[in-house]
């Protein structure tokens, strides 16, 4: 949420009373809206029965191993089975059975303490929950965001939330089995043996990449609604020799008391088993035709300089090869035997981003980076149906110094076979290019342009003196053909 814009009526650009906070909470969450093709292009279907808003106050159900556990119980919900709302949703996921996966990312920035002397527990610190929020002031109008009064409330956020967009009365489900961390996206694959595999990055410096494997198996046309409720969670270790393995997160491997504790404190569990600290894992994308998975590691100024919030070292090497990594890279792995549920994998780096016009060392980037396609901070990552890889960036757009020639944030098209990459579009000033999907006939590609003009330097898309707005654009071919 761009506070100076939504609170543009306040000189401070911040919420100043309870009404302002309610506006902010209503401005968070997920919109479900139907769009349709008209003579004037794609337009919202304003009276669609599917249209609805899920905000920071919408009732949601807690499912999975943490449901009903003491860590999830609050004054308002003594059973620990139902929470209110979802917020700071980042990337997303889509299941083969037609549900949408909303991913709770920086949920921590909304909590604060009315007691300045409240001793913040280590488990909260690991997730960045502290005495002060990030300027949202939610606790001033809704006491559940006051950690000194409701210390379990933060345990109810940081999950993947499954939403059925085609059933407007359905209650969103928090899937605790997929772990609690700062979820970027959730890439869903049905393994050859029918188990549903979800790959997930935790977007924080020195945090981890996770994998969920469902206990049940996917049945086409069957009832798959409970598949994300039960399964096993593991975390990736990347060895320097190009091998890797998924380390199971269980009470036995972590020393934790219960499966509920493991998923709620997933970061702490992953530290306990010795997972590899990564350079901020953003989107994960699985190749549609072969068992191969890619993940953007966007950047990490702390690499080789500072441990993560759990004290785990962040050595330079393996899939995180540069100290103070300012450009980012994309790692990929191939599951052993082509089986997404296998414990082992082999990995390599698909691209190491850099600036070959400025540097002649490792910061120039890998061989597939050149002055015409260079970028920093890969973030969004999506395969199209033909195996083309689309890379979106959320990085420095100063176009100066180490970033000279890289311009605004952009979207590239990459050939996963050859590593060749080409710039496809460049976003407006001060935006992040993020989110990508297609119309069913593959003739329209929808691209998200988030927070253009976040520093006041753009009026996209309205122009003139209008406030800039986050936007979804539709891209079509002049010849009307398929686009990915
Ligand atoms: Ca992110
Ligand atoms: Ca992102
Ligand atoms: Ca990002």
């Amino acid at each position: 949420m761009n506070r100076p814009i939504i609170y543009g009526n306040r000189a401070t650009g911040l919420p100043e009373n309870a009404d302002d906070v309610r506006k902010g909470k209503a401005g968070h969450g997920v919109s479900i809206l139907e769009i349709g093709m008209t003579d004037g292009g794609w337009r919202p279907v304003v009276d669609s029965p599917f249209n609805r808003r899920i905000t920071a106050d919408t009732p949601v159900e807690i499912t999975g191993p943490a449901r009903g556990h003491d860590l999830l119980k609050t004054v308002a919900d003594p059973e620990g089975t139902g929470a209110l709302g979802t917020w700071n949703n980042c990337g997303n996921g889509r299941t083969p059975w037609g549900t949408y996966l909303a991913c709770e990312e920086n949920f921590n920035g909304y909590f604060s303490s009315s007691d300045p002397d409240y001793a913040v527990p280590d488990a909260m610190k690991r997730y960045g929950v502290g005495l002060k929020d990030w300027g949202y002031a939610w606790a001033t109008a809704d006491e559940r965001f006051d950690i000194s009064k409701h210390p379990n409330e933060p345990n109810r956020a940081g999950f993947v939330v499954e939403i059925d967009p085609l059933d407007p009365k359905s209650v969103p489900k928090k899937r605790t089995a997929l772990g609690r961390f700062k979820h970027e996206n959730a890439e869903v694959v049905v393994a050859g043996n029918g188990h549903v595999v979800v790959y997930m990055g935790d977007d924080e410096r020195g945090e981890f990449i996770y994998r969920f494997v469902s206990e049940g198996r996917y049945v086409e046309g069957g009832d798959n609604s409970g598949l994300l409720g039960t399964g096993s969670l593991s975390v990736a270790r990347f060895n320097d020799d190009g091998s890797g393995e998924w380390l199971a997160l269980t009470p036995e491997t972590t020393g934790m008391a219960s499966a509920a504790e493991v998923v709620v404190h997933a970061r702490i569990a992953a530290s306990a088993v010795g997972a590899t600290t990564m350079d901020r894992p953003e989107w994960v994308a699985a190749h549609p035709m072969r068992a191969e998975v890619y993940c953007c590691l966007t950047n990490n100024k702390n690499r080789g300089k500072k441990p993560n919030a759990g004290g785990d070292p962040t050595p330079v090497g393996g899939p995180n090869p540069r100290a103070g990594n300012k450009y980012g890279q994309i790692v990929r792995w191939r599951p052993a035997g082509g089986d997404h549920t296998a414990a082992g994998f082999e990995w390599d780096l698909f691209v190491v981003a850099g600036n070959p016009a400025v540097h002649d060392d490792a910061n120039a980037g890998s061989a597939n980076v050149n002055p015409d396609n260079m970028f920093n901070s890969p973030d969004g990552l999506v395969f199209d149906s033909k195996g083309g890889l689309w890379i979106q960036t959320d990085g420095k757009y100063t176009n100066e110094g180490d970033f000279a020639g890289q311009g605004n944030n952009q979207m590239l098209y990459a050939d996963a076979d050859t590593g060749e990459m080409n710039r496809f579009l460049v976003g407006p000033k001060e935006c992040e290019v993020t989110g990508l999907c297609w119309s069913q006939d593959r003739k329209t590609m929808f691209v998200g342009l988030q927070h253009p003009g976040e520093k006041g330097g753009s009026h996209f898309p309205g122009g003139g003196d209008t406030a800039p707005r986050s936007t979804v654009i539709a891209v079509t071919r002049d010849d009307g053909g398929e686009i990915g």
Side-chain angles (χ1 to χ4, degrees):
M1 190 176 78
N2 200 324
R3 286 184 296 272
I5 291 175
I6 196 170
Y7 297 121
N9 57 323
R10 303 292 183 206
T12 56
L14 292 169
E16 295 183 357
N17 60 32
D19 260 355
D20 286 349
V21 171
R22 282 192 281 272
K23 180 165 85 168
K25 288 168 76 187
H28 280 71
V30 178
S31 290
I32 297 165
L33 68 150
E34 183 178 355
I35 60 171
M37 181 58 102
T38 69
D39 288 345
W42 291 95
R43 293 281 183 274
V45 180
V46 292
D47 55 356
S48 166
F50 302 118
N51 295 347
R52 66 168 159 156
R53 279 279 302 157
I54 295 161
T55 73
D57 288 318
T58 304
V60 301
E61 184 184 348
I62 296 167
T63 73
R67 178 182 169 87
H69 189 271
D70 284 349
L71 284 167
L72 277 283
K73 292 175 181 171
T74 63
V75 174
D77 173 31
E79 305 294 322
T81 58
L84 289 180
T86 183
W87 57 90
N88 210 302
N89 309 89
C90 189
N92 59 69
R94 185 177 176 169
T95 67
W97 52 95
T99 56
Y100 177 84
L101 303 179
C103 300
E104 297 178 339
E105 194 192 27
N106 293 311
F107 66 89
N108 56 312
Y110 300 79
F111 293 94
S112 59
S113 172
S114 60
D115 174 4
D117 298 321
Y118 176 68
V120 179
D122 285 347
M124 278 193 201
K125 288 182 186 162
R126 181 64 189 271
Y127 285 85
V129 175
L131 299 177
K132 291 199 163 71
D133 66 24
W134 293 355
Y136 298 102
W138 286 9
T140 64
D142 185 347
E143 195 189 90
R144 72 187 163 106
F145 292 94
D146 184 339
I147 55 171
S148 65
K149 293 178 177 155
H150 303 283
N152 279 350
E153 190 67 32
N155 292 338
R156 295 146 67 87
F159 293 110
V160 169
V161 186
E162 186 173 10
I163 299 170
D164 185 350
L166 298 181
D167 180 0
K169 295 205 161 44
S170 62
V171 176
K173 293 180 171 65
K174 294 215 177 192
R175 296 303 194 184
T176 69
L178 278 60
R180 174 173 165 268
F181 44 92
K182 294 191 181 180
H183 284 277
E184 183 70 21
N185 82 328
E187 179 71 341
V188 180
V189 182
V190 178
N193 55 21
H195 293 285
V196 175
V197 175
V198 188
Y199 292 106
M200 301 167 285
D202 181 353
D203 181 9
E204 187 102 62
R205 296 180 191 103
E207 292 294 343
F208 310 116
I209 295 173
Y210 295 82
R211 184 187 71 171
F212 167 85
V213 179
S214 69
E215 185 178 276
R217 294 168 199 250
Y218 173 69
V219 179
E220 197 174 340
D223 179 6
N224 298 292
S225 60
L227 282 178
L228 301 185
T230 313
S232 55
L233 188 66
S234 53
V235 65
R237 177 155 67 201
F238 294 81
N239 303 314
D240 286 352
D241 66 0
S243 67
E245 58 256 5
W246 294 101
L247 308 171
L249 298 175
T250 68
E252 293 72 31
T253 61
T254 62
M256 288 179 165
S258 66
E261 200 177 320
V262 168
V263 295
V264 172
H265 296 149
R267 285 183 168 180
I268 299 167
S271 289
V273 300
T276 300
T277 58
M278 307 299 284
D279 285 347
R280 290 187 57 199
E282 301 252 24
W283 290 54
V284 185
H287 198 291
M289 293 150 190
R290 58 180 186 246
E292 191 170 86
V293 189
Y294 294 62
C295 179
C296 287
L297 304 170
T298 199
N299 58 56
N300 182 2
K301 66 183 179 186
N302 294 343
R303 173 61 55 188
K305 301 182 175 189
K306 214 176 144 182
N308 70 10
D312 302 323
T314 64
V316 174
N320 308 284
R322 292 176 297 192
N325 178 16
K326 63 176 67 165
Y327 295 113
Q329 65 269 9
I330 298 176
V331 64
R332 68 177 163 187
W333 59 91
R334 296 176 191 85
D339 174 7
H340 283 284
T341 67
F345 59 84
E346 289 181 353
W347 67 268
D348 68 353
L349 292 174
F350 176 69
V351 58
V352 180
N355 192 328
V358 172
H359 304 287
D360 55 9
D361 59 7
N363 283 320
S366 50
N368 51 347
V369 173
N370 60 59
D372 292 326
N373 71 6
M374 60 182 176
F375 60 94
N376 72 87
S377 306
D379 188 328
L381 193 66
V382 180
F383 272 102
D384 64 35
S385 64
K386 299 177 174 68
L389 181 61
W390 301 83
I391 303 166
Q392 302 173 317
T393 72
D394 171 26
K396 290 269 193 334
Y397 43 68
T398 60
N399 209 25
E400 292 174 349
D402 284 344
F403 305 97
Q406 300 196 330
N408 297 347
N409 278 307
Q410 57 183 290
M411 183 161 86
L412 302 108
Y413 177 82
D415 184 323
D417 297 330
T418 65
E420 183 185 349
M421 302 181 299
N422 287 287
R423 232 174 245 178
F424 180 78
L425 66 79
V426 175
K429 286 183 180 173
E430 301 169 10
C431 86
E432 164 186 2
V433 181
T434 185
L436 180 62
C437 66
W438 285 263
S439 59
Q440 196 163 24
D441 63 8
R442 314 297 295 189
K443 291 180 177 174
T444 304
M445 182 167 71
F446 299 99
V447 185
L449 301 174
Q450 197 175 19
H451 60 69
E454 65 176 347
K455 295 183 174 147
S458 170
H459 298 277
F460 184 88
D465 290 333
T466 60
R469 301 175 73 156
S470 295
T471 308
V472 176
I473 61 169
V475 181
T476 56
R477 292 174 60 104
D478 285 344
D479 64 7
E482 293 183 13
I483 179 168

